[in-house]
């Protein structure tokens, strides 16, 4: 019962499990620090008026931080959520459709978040 | 095996749907990790609403700020804080097992309890600090 790794690689259920595992752990590691920072950001933003909030989000360091939060958490959320249809849907049509929906949802929410932060940061 | 009806009522293995298994901490935390992960995903949409409102202008932002500052808004944020902390500690637990450390049965059970309790504790600490600095 010995099979060469190069023959079986990529033949699992989703064909890219190792990459998925690595990327979800890599983004999770970054998110431990980003989440702590994000909690502090929300505390700073809570109760602020319009000008204060624009000044906060528009600060270059805060804006860069938020863009990192959006990119890393968006990718992590995409990777995490895709395992749900992979686990529960045997029907390939439902599985593929829900994976497409997940891709679209993640891209749309990240695009919206990116634009909102950049618009505030560049003062438009 | 002659009395097994292969076309009609075939024997089925126990599965989650009919609660054939006794609920264990590992099952409960596995489920809660996934559910809180979905919660964090939904949180991105909440954040998008707040930031887009800020990008649109003062009136839209004032509405968003009033909504999140209301009792219901604070309740959702409180639940979201717990969801995020629970998920983060669950992730840290997985890091420990990836290393791997604390993989003996009693240590595993301890980690389940520690991360569940830790999620609640962090949430309360964050909100105490939040109200103290406001």
């Amino acid at each position: 019962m010995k099979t060469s790794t190069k023959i079986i690689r990529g033949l699992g259920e989703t064909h890219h499990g190792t990459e998925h595992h690595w990327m979800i752990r890599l983004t999770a590691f970054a998110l431990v620090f980003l989440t702590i920072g994000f909690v502090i950001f929300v505390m700073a933003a809570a109760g602020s008026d319009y000008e204060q909030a624009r000044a906060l989000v528009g600060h270059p360091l805060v804006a860069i931080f938020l863009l990192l939060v959006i990119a890393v958490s968006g990718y992590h959320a995409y990777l995490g959520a895709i395992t749900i249809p992979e686990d529960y849907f045997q029907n390939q049509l439902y599985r593929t459709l829900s994976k497409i929906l997940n891709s679209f949802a993640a891209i749309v929410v990240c695009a919206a978040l990116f634009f909102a932060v950049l618009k505030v940061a560049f003062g438009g | 095996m002659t009395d097994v009806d292969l076309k009609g009522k075939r024997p089925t293995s126990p599965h989650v749907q009919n609660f054939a298994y006794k609920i264990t901490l590992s099952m409960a935390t596995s489920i809660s990790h996934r559910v809180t992960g979905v919660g964090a995903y939904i949180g991105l949409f909440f954040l998008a609403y707040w930031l887009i409102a800020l990008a649109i202008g003062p009136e839209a932002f004032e509405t968003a700020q009033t909504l999140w500052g209301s009792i219901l808004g604070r309740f959702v944020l409180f639940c979201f804080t717990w969801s995020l902390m629970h998920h983060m500690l669950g992730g840290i637990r997985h890091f420990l097992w990836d290393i791997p450390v604390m993989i003996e049965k009693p240590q595993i059970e301890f980690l389940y309890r520690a991360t569940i309790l830790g999620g609640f504790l962090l949430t309360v600490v964050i909100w105490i600090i939040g109200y103290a600095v406001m």
Side-chain angles (χ1 to χ4, degrees):
Chain A
M1 280 297 281
K2 272 189 179 173
T3 308
S4 175
T5 320
K6 71 169 190 261
I7 295 172
I8 54 95
R9 186 159 282 157
L11 292 180
E13 174 70 355
T14 64
H15 310 290
H16 45 254
T18 312
E19 290 85 347
H20 182 280
H21 178 82
W22 172 249
M23 286 313 293
I24 207 157
R25 288 296 198 271
L26 180 66
T27 49
F29 185 58
L31 279 169
V32 173
F33 306 102
L34 291 172
T35 302
I36 294 167
F38 183 71
V39 168
I40 296 167
F41 165 78
V42 174
M43 282 181 189
S48 59
D49 62 28
Y50 179 71
E51 291 304 325
Q52 288 168 331
R54 279 196 79 101
L56 178 68
V57 175
H59 189 286
L61 290 178
V62 179
I64 291 166
F65 169 77
L66 285 175
L67 294 176
L68 285 174
V69 168
I70 295 160
V72 180
S73 65
Y75 190 39
H76 185 84
Y78 161 80
L79 287 173
I82 211 166
T83 62
I84 297 171
E86 282 170 357
D87 282 352
Y88 300 143
F89 294 158
Q90 265 92 60
N91 182 310
Q92 284 296 328
L93 179 64
Y94 292 158
R95 181 189 285 212
T96 306
L97 284 177
S98 48
K99 286 169 83 165
I100 291 170
L101 180 69
N102 178 45
S103 304
F104 284 5
I107 293 281
V108 166
V109 77
C110 286
L113 283 161
F114 265 119
F115 179 77
V117 171
L118 291 175
K119 184 171 186 289
V120 172
F122 293 135
Chain B
M1 291 295 282
T2 48
D3 58 340
V4 175
D5 178 8
L6 288 176
K7 283 183 179 166
K9 291 177 181 171
R10 301 178 64 185
T12 54
S13 58
H15 51 86
V16 177
Q17 276 80 3
N18 62 12
F19 288 92
Y21 289 119
K22 182 175 163 285
I23 300 286
T24 62
L25 267 183
S26 67
M27 288 163 64
T29 49
S30 171
I31 294 164
S32 66
H33 193 71
R34 177 162 278 181
V35 171
T36 52
V38 172
Y41 201 148
I42 296 168
L44 279 177
F45 288 84
F46 287 162
L47 178 65
Y49 166 60
W50 189 84
L51 279 170
I52 290 168
L54 182 64
I56 289 172
E59 283 171 32
F61 181 73
E62 210 53 50
T63 310
Q65 213 52 343
T66 307
L67 190 68
W68 287 120
S70 69
I71 297 293
L72 182 67
R74 282 170 202 232
F75 177 70
V76 171
L77 280 177
F78 185 83
C79 293
F80 182 72
T81 310
W82 170 78
S83 177
L84 205 57
M85 291 302 114
H86 184 84
H87 194 78
M88 186 181 80
L89 291 178
I92 291 170
R93 192 180 65 227
H94 282 111
F95 282 136
L96 294 176
W97 291 338
D98 281 350
I99 289 171
V101 293
M102 299 196 76
I103 51 169
E104 297 301 324
K105 180 75 175 164
Q107 298 172 322
I108 288 172
E109 292 297 318
F110 168 76
L111 273 186
Y112 285 135
R113 287 173 170 81
T115 51
I116 291 168
L117 188 67
F120 287 110
L121 280 177
L122 279 178
T123 306
V124 171
V125 168
I126 286 168
W127 278 73
I128 288 173
I129 295 171
Y131 273 106
V133 297
M134 260 175 76

